[in-house]
Amino acid sequence: MSTLVSVKNLSKVFDVSKPWLNRVIERLPKAHLTATSDVDFDVEENAVYSLVGESGSGKSTIGKMVVGLLQPTEGNVEINGVDLASETDIEIIKQSRTDIQMIFQDPYASMNPRWRVRDIILEPVVASNGDTEGLAEKLLEQVGLAAEDATKFPHEFSGGQRQRICIARALASAPKLIVCDEPTSALDVSVQAQVLNLMDDLKSELGLTYLFISHDLTVVRHISDRIGVLYLGRLVEEGTPDQLFDAPKHPYTQMLISSAPKIDGFGREVDPPQGEIPDPIDPPSGCAFHPRCPIATAKCKSERPALRELDDNRVACHLA
Amino acid sequence: MNKIIDAWHSDLAWNFRNSPVAVVSFALVFVLVLAVIFAPVIAPHDPFDPSTLNLINGFSQPMTPNTYTGDVFLLGSDDQGRDVFSTILYGMRISLFVGVFAVAFAMILGITLGLIAGYVGGWTETIIMRIADVQLTFPSILVAMLIFGIVKGVIPVEHRDQMAIWVLILAIGLGEWVQFARVVRGATLVEKNREYVQAARLIGRVRWVIMIRHILPNVLSPVLVIATISLALAIIAEATLSFLGVGAPPTQPSLGTLIRIGQGFLFSGEWWILLFPALTLLTLALSVNMLGDWLRDALNPKLR
Amino acid sequence: MTEPILSIRNLVVEIKTRHAILKAVDCVSYDIAPGEILGVVGESGAGKSMAGNAVIGLLSKPFSVADGEIWLKGRRIDNLSREKMRRLRGKEIGVVFQDPLTSLNPLIRIGDQLVETIMEHLKLSKKEAERRAISALEEVGIPAAAKRVNSYPHEFSGGMRQRVVIALALCAEPSLIIADEPTTALDVSVQAQIIALLKRLCRERGTAVMLITHDMGVVAETANRVAVMYAGRLAEIGPVRDVLTNPKHPYTDGLMGSTPAAAIGLEKLRQIPGSMPRLARLPKGCAFSPRCNRATDKCVQDPPPDLTAGEGYAACWYSLKTECTG
């Protein structure tokens, strides 16, 4: 298998300073929020790579940088060898745009409520002046809806059906990579299963590659070929689902897995994890996880661990 | 046909049918608009055609006959023997004409600037919105008078009367655009971060396509509400300017002009020359305003 | 069994729309014993929150309790006046909602909010109420509580805010807590803290808890018994271990099968076809019949028998324990 997406040293810093006048009057410095720093990973073709993390982990920021909605502050994303942020050839940009699509979290907000389903699905093709003859109907049937649904408006569908329409829109330009930003977290369990199964079918039928962004460990474990765990904008561990869930090496991964509710954990008494996620504007020194880490040492406070190879996994911990 | 049935069953239509205030104010507006459109047919005579006037009929009481033609002066006549009912019909024409065009002008200007400010952001937004803020600190009637004064000074005397109506429209429109711009900008800020806009950006759609095809249709419902309420305000503003003598010229009197003329006769006992134009203005402005209020509540999802 | 804290009998909550009267909750009955946590699960639109709101008396137009009885500690509360219900709400029933921000007044210091609630419901002096407020915050695990009473809600993180809401719900020592998706807005690690807290408080004080959630994992770890709702009706109710590992209703079974956690090692998730019907278009017989692979003519024609307040029943003509003949 060859590498489709290659993410190198990706960093994104947001300027979250107060307006200029307030800063002058209140004598505040500029404030910067580091959403993502130094993230490296590759996604193989026709595979599912998942990014998991809690709020503030920067997982959605990475997704937006991969599809080109945000410009990286540092580092780059190459998809099929093309870096959208630095590419100047318009023909190549146009071509790579059709190669990348995205599915969003909120099936109610991700479609223009005033457009008919046909126009919503075909927009990516219309934008690149492609052939739209009969395409919407074909795609609707492919995602398990009826061809007649093309003339309806989004509000006539349930959440799960809307997410199918979003998938149809993502497929319209025949992409290679689909970035899925929490595609099922707004859906009910029984509908989530339908959507996940559909995505799985489409992946094998069309040879798609997914970058799957989620906070739900069980979903990620089910769908992924490889998982990257993020904490405060940095990759702390990466490995295959089995390695990660059966033998997590980073203390944060361990904490995440043990604190997630288990469906067969009747009356389970867990030692709840300590503390909460620190403020990303003012992250802790050294390893960002050290204030919550049960095994942290003095070295963890002062020195940030690098992401290193450890039998097929990659892990960023001094003590792993 | 199906569309009409759907519209009848829509929430808005249902809400309308169940709101007596809305039905009554809509009926009033409807009747007044019809009267304006068919003014030449309804009015007993054209009050601005001197050949139909006779000074003998001056100051006729309401419901007294025209000594000349035998018609009845329904609402009396003024000093020149003009039928007050007819002057009201023709005056309302000017009032509504100015109101509708002023609001349309304000709407186009406000929506465009609001959309640009909200979507583009940065310095463009700062400049547009600061201008709006500064303008808000002046009462819009003052702004209108200022513009009116400047433009009148620029236009040569011989064109003044025929241009006066358009100057009024410009002046009132410039006084009202801020409302539209602020609301559209706010709604745009919300819509631009929604995922469907991101989806459109993702596939490389250019800015103006996103603004016009995606965002604009979704920010229009608050605009509709403001447009209705602004119409009432514009009618009042026009009447105020005309009452102050800086609005519609005496050759094309609007309701405001009629009230100004009428108040001169109030203390000599000819009350009808003032009262009936004033009542018409009140009814027109109030019913449009009530309709706007109802629309605001009906379109507000929180109050449902 | 001891006298239950809460018993709901044949509760019906109606929605009046301009087209029809719909039943958001249809003939639901259950009890919660002291110290017991009852998990109420179901997908969106199943009516699980509506039943909770009916107990608190927070239903407003177009929703109303149309039938049935709600008893709290042997006293009927569904017919109380608004004012009496308001008193009861803070004193006997504590409420924890999903979004802690909406439950706290952003302009009042959290200490003052606590003191106000305590003095409203308990006959205590201001001094004593303040002391009580601090100990309530300490109890829910807020560090430096004596200092933090002077903070405003926005100065707390999401998890800390939810702790404050729990402190607020518990400060008048209610006998029943209704927690409506209390951890849905929180991160996994914080969720674990809040759940551990709820469990501890409930055990120590013998408070009954109605835990409304869509997360089967949370229910499994927290609840003693579970009530599964579908389209406004109870599909199944029973001890959590029995219901989750050995479901009797095909819906519960499908729900468990479609959870990714239950599919470890499987290529595909087991999915239930279709989606929950809208209330306006409920099927004539069993509401689940269009999605059920075991449904027969009888299921399509007649609604299954309503559940009585007993233990371990499923509202199904052919519950998974019985032979499917029809």
Side-chain angles (χ1 to χ4, degrees):
Chain A
M1 282 208 286
S2 58
T3 304
L4 181 70
V5 184
S6 167
V7 171
K8 289 206 179 59
N9 302 76
L10 198 62
S11 300
K12 179 72 193 179
V13 179
F14 291 107
D15 188 346
V16 289
S17 315
K18 290 198 170 166
W20 173 80
L21 200 61
N22 294 47
R23 285 209 311 277
V24 172
I25 294 169
E26 297 167 39
R27 294 171 193 233
L28 294 168
K30 276 203 150 199
H32 294 286
L33 187 152
T34 311
T36 307
S37 57
D38 229 1
V39 170
D40 268 297
F41 63 89
D42 291 333
V43 183
E44 301 286 318
E45 208 164 317
N46 200 14
V48 181
Y49 188 98
S50 291
L51 291 170
V52 276
E54 300 178 276
S55 53
S57 65
K59 53 190 191 300
S60 292
T61 311
I62 296 177
K64 283 182 183 162
M65 284 191 282
V66 169
V67 296
L69 280 175
L70 282 176
Q71 291 287 317
T73 312
E74 254 175 76
N76 59 8
V77 180
E78 278 184 14
I79 293 155
N80 245 350
V82 177
D83 178 4
L84 270 179
S86 64
E87 185 61 52
T88 48
D89 188 330
I90 291 180
E91 279 310 305
I92 295 180
I93 290 181
K94 269 195 179 159
Q95 181 52 44
S96 350
R97 276 243 167 83
T98 62
D99 283 348
I100 316 161
Q101 276 297 341
M102 189 160 181
I103 302 170
F104 296 90
Q105 172 176 3
D106 185 350
Y108 293 87
S110 56
M111 286 184 278
N112 191 331
R114 313 247 164 190
W115 283 28
R116 284 181 197 280
V117 166
R118 174 185 283 113
D119 301 322
I120 291 171
I121 294 179
L122 293 180
E123 196 185 13
V125 186
V126 172
S128 56
N129 302 317
D131 181 21
T132 59
E133 181 66 36
L135 183 61
E137 288 75 10
K138 194 190 112 208
L139 287 166
L140 280 171
E141 280 170 3
Q142 200 164 13
V143 296
L145 295 170
E148 301 88 76
D149 291 336
T151 54
K152 293 185 184 163
F153 284 99
H155 67 84
E156 298 174 54
F157 296 90
S158 69
Q161 289 171 322
R162 282 161 179 247
Q163 208 58 313
R164 286 173 193 263
I165 297 171
C166 289
I167 294 175
R169 169 175 62 185
L171 295 176
S173 62
K176 294 197 176 75
L177 170 74
I178 298 183
V179 175
C180 316
D181 191 355
E182 306 255 12
T184 60
S185 58
L187 304 178
D188 283 317
V189 189
S190 71
V191 180
Q192 163 174 288
Q194 297 170 4
V195 172
L196 289 177
N197 282 345
L198 173 69
M199 288 175 63
D200 194 47
D201 291 342
L202 292 169
K203 183 190 132 206
S204 21
E205 266 170 51
L206 305 170
L208 296 170
T209 307
Y210 294 135
L211 177 61
F212 197 93
I213 296 162
S214 179
H215 70 279
D216 189 330
L217 293 165
T218 56
V219 169
V220 163
R221 178 173 195 178
H222 175 77
I223 198 164
S224 316
D225 295 308
R226 214 169 164 75
I227 299 171
V229 182
L230 291 161
Y231 186 72
L232 274 187
R234 285 174 190 274
L235 212 49
V236 294
E237 188 167 358
E238 187 198 66
T240 62
D242 289 344
Q243 284 171 333
L244 215 63
F245 281 86
D246 295 338
K249 295 195 168 57
H250 196 283
Y252 175 64
T253 319
Q254 291 164 1
M255 186 196 90
L256 214 54
I257 290 171
S258 75
S259 58
K262 308 274 179 294
I263 198 148
D264 51 358
F266 301 112
R268 189 173 71 117
E269 296 287 338
V270 276
D271 244 351
Q274 294 304 305
E276 291 187 37
I277 299 154
D279 184 1
I281 295 177
D282 183 23
S285 64
C287 172
F289 187 61
H290 83 257
R292 305 175 71 189
C293 183
I295 55 169
T297 62
K299 191 184 177 193
C300 302
K301 271 180 205 154
S302 55
E303 200 181 312
R304 176 177 302 132
L307 195 64
R308 60 194 164 92
E309 304 268 343
L310 196 74
D311 16 280
D312 259 11
N313 280 24
R314 291 195 296 161
V315 59
C317 178
H318 293 306
L319 303 162
Chain B
M1 194 58 209
N2 273 334
K3 279 204 169 156
I4 297 171
I5 294 171
D6 282 355
W8 177 255
H9 286 292
S10 73
D11 284 342
L12 199 64
W14 183 83
N15 204 322
F16 178 78
R17 290 200 297 277
N18 284 272
S19 162
V21 176
V23 173
V24 169
S25 31
F26 180 78
L28 280 173
V29 172
F30 189 71
V31 166
L32 290 175
V33 167
L34 274 189
V36 158
I37 293 171
F38 295 106
V41 185
I42 305 168
H45 71 118
D46 182 349
F48 307 114
D49 181 359
S51 64
T52 63
L53 300 184
N54 195 323
L55 279 177
I56 295 171
N57 287 325
F59 298 125
S60 300
Q61 296 251 2
M63 303 307 290
T64 51
N66 185 331
T67 47
Y68 216 62
T69 60
D71 287 350
V72 172
F73 284 114
L74 208 58
L75 304 177
S77 72
D78 67 2
D79 54 340
Q80 322 229 356
R82 274 196 291 239
D83 177 30
V84 171
F85 180 58
S86 307
T87 53
I88 287 175
L89 286 178
Y90 278 84
M92 211 157 53
R93 268 191 148 182
I94 309 283
S95 289
L96 265 179
F97 182 83
V98 170
V100 167
F101 274 82
V103 168
F105 174 62
M107 203 157 88
I108 292 168
L109 190 68
I111 290 176
T112 314
L113 289 176
L115 209 53
I116 293 173
Y119 193 74
V120 176
W123 279 107
T124 324
E125 178 185 16
T126 311
I127 291 170
I128 294 175
M129 292 330 284
R130 285 308 82 79
I131 293 174
D133 285 347
V134 169
Q135 192 175 328
L136 262 195
T137 58
F138 298 103
S140 53
I141 201 84
L142 204 68
V143 176
M145 281 178 80
L146 192 73
I147 295 166
F148 197 78
I150 294 170
V151 176
K152 263 198 135 174
V154 175
I155 296 175
V157 187
E158 61 269 27
H159 295 303
R160 258 187 209 164
D161 271 8
Q162 63 194 105
M163 291 297 287
I165 296 293
W166 295 103
V167 174
L168 258 180
I169 289 172
L170 179 80
I172 296 171
L174 279 180
E176 303 265 335
W177 71 275
V178 176
Q179 292 280 356
F180 290 95
R182 286 171 73 107
V183 166
V184 168
R185 172 183 161 268
T188 305
L189 285 179
V190 175
E191 294 296 322
K192 114 172 156 179
N193 286 320
R194 306 198 86 178
E195 289 169 343
Y196 72 89
V197 175
Q198 291 191 17
R201 280 175 56 203
L202 180 73
I203 55 174
R205 284 250 143 157
V206 287
R207 272 182 182 176
W208 66 268
V209 171
I210 295 179
M211 279 199 265
I212 293 174
R213 297 220 44 212
H214 280 288
I215 295 181
L216 185 62
N218 287 297
V219 298
L220 280 185
S221 42
V223 167
L224 196 64
V225 175
I226 301 182
T228 323
I229 293 173
S230 284
L231 180 61
L233 287 177
I235 290 169
I236 299 273
E238 185 277 329
T240 314
L241 287 174
S242 299
F243 181 79
L244 295 175
V246 292
T251 49
Q252 288 166 293
S254 70
L255 287 178
T257 324
L258 294 179
I259 294 170
R260 175 167 57 99
I261 296 168
Q263 62 139 2
F265 302 112
L266 185 61
F267 294 108
S268 53
E270 287 85 22
W271 49 271
W272 57 90
I273 307 176
L274 172 72
L275 183 72
F276 293 114
L279 274 181
T280 315
L281 178 68
L282 185 74
T283 317
L284 182 63
L286 201 64
S287 47
V288 171
N289 205 354
M290 300 278 249
L291 210 55
D293 273 354
W294 163 77
L295 202 58
R296 185 190 57 208
D297 294 346
L299 290 177
N300 186 349
K302 273 189 191 159
L303 291 178
R304 264 201 203 142
Chain C
M1 205 173 128
T2 47
E3 170 92 354
I5 298 278
L6 177 78
S7 30
I8 295 178
R9 289 287 172 273
N10 303 329
L11 181 71
V12 178
V13 174
E14 285 181 348
I15 315 172
K16 283 196 179 63
T17 71
R18 31 180 273 236
H19 301 295
I21 295 174
L22 308 172
K23 286 179 178 173
V25 175
D26 190 4
C27 212
V28 164
S29 309
Y30 48 73
D31 292 337
I32 309 180
E36 183 183 50
I37 301 181
L38 175 77
V40 180
V41 295
E43 299 179 288
S44 45
K48 53 190 193 302
S49 295
M50 211 63 76
N53 285 345
V55 173
I56 321 163
L58 279 185
L59 291 178
S60 55
K61 243 188 24 173
F63 302 99
S64 62
V65 175
D67 198 7
E69 293 168 12
I70 302 169
W71 297 76
L72 185 76
K73 293 210 288 191
R75 176 179 171 206
R76 192 164 167 189
I77 60 165
D78 55 293
N79 50 7
L80 289 183
S81 71
R82 199 163 273 271
E83 177 58 24
K84 277 189 180 152
M85 199 60 216
R86 195 183 60 79
R87 277 172 197 285
L88 198 72
R89 199 145 55 218
K91 178 76 192 83
E92 291 291 342
I93 310 175
V95 187
V96 181
F97 285 119
Q98 173 177 346
D99 183 1
L101 262 189
T102 56
S103 316
L104 296 169
N105 186 332
L107 299 177
I108 303 180
R109 292 173 207 274
I110 58 134
D112 295 341
Q113 300 195 34
L114 279 163
V115 167
E116 194 190 331
T117 313
I118 293 169
M119 288 177 65
E120 165 96 32
H121 297 293
L122 304 174
K123 300 268 168 290
L124 288 178
S125 70
K126 180 118 203 250
K127 268 265 152 53
E128 253 174 291
E130 274 165 7
R131 214 170 301 133
R132 188 92 171 224
I134 293 171
S135 72
L137 288 178
E138 275 167 354
E139 206 173 352
V140 295
I142 288 181
K147 268 194 214 142
R148 300 304 304 256
V149 285
N150 292 319
S151 310
Y152 290 94
H154 69 90
E155 297 173 61
F156 287 85
S157 67
M160 284 297 160
R161 252 182 240 141
Q162 196 61 298
R163 285 169 193 265
V164 173
V165 172
I166 292 175
L168 203 57
L170 283 171
C171 63
E173 306 200 326
S175 44
L176 172 72
I177 290 185
I178 294 181
D180 192 347
E181 304 268 7
T183 59
T184 307
L186 305 174
D187 282 315
V188 182
S189 56
V190 183
Q191 163 172 299
Q193 298 169 357
I194 297 294
I195 286 178
L197 173 70
L198 261 181
K199 273 163 90 172
R200 177 172 64 82
L201 292 173
C202 167
R203 192 172 46 224
E204 285 171 4
R205 301 180 171 196
T207 316
V209 178
M210 182 199 280
L211 177 71
I212 300 164
T213 179
H214 68 279
D215 190 326
M216 299 302 260
V218 169
V219 168
E221 291 198 354
T222 319
N224 307 105
R225 282 192 311 137
V226 60
V228 182
M229 289 190 71
Y230 186 80
R233 294 177 197 215
L234 270 186
E236 182 165 5
I237 185 166
V240 67
R241 191 185 290 266
D242 293 357
V243 172
L244 264 53
T245 55
N246 215 344
K248 292 194 182 68
H249 196 287
Y251 174 64
T252 322
D253 187 48
L255 206 56
M256 293 304 293
S258 43
T259 333
I264 292 168
L266 293 178
E267 191 57 30
K268 278 269 144 78
L269 297 170
R270 250 172 62 206
Q271 61 182 58
I272 315 175
S275 55
M276 181 144 53
R278 293 185 187 180
L279 288 178
R281 260 174 258 150
L282 278 187
K284 193 167 135 211
C286 171
F288 187 61
S289 61
R291 303 174 74 187
C292 183
N293 54 9
R294 295 160 53 97
T296 62
D297 284 348
K298 189 181 171 98
C299 302
V300 177
Q301 290 304 323
D302 305 314
D306 289 319
L307 285 183
T308 48
E311 284 291 312
Y313 282 101
C316 177
W317 287 117
Y318 309 106
S319 71
L320 294 172
K321 280 282 134 69
T322 59
E323 269 316 295
C324 182
T325 50

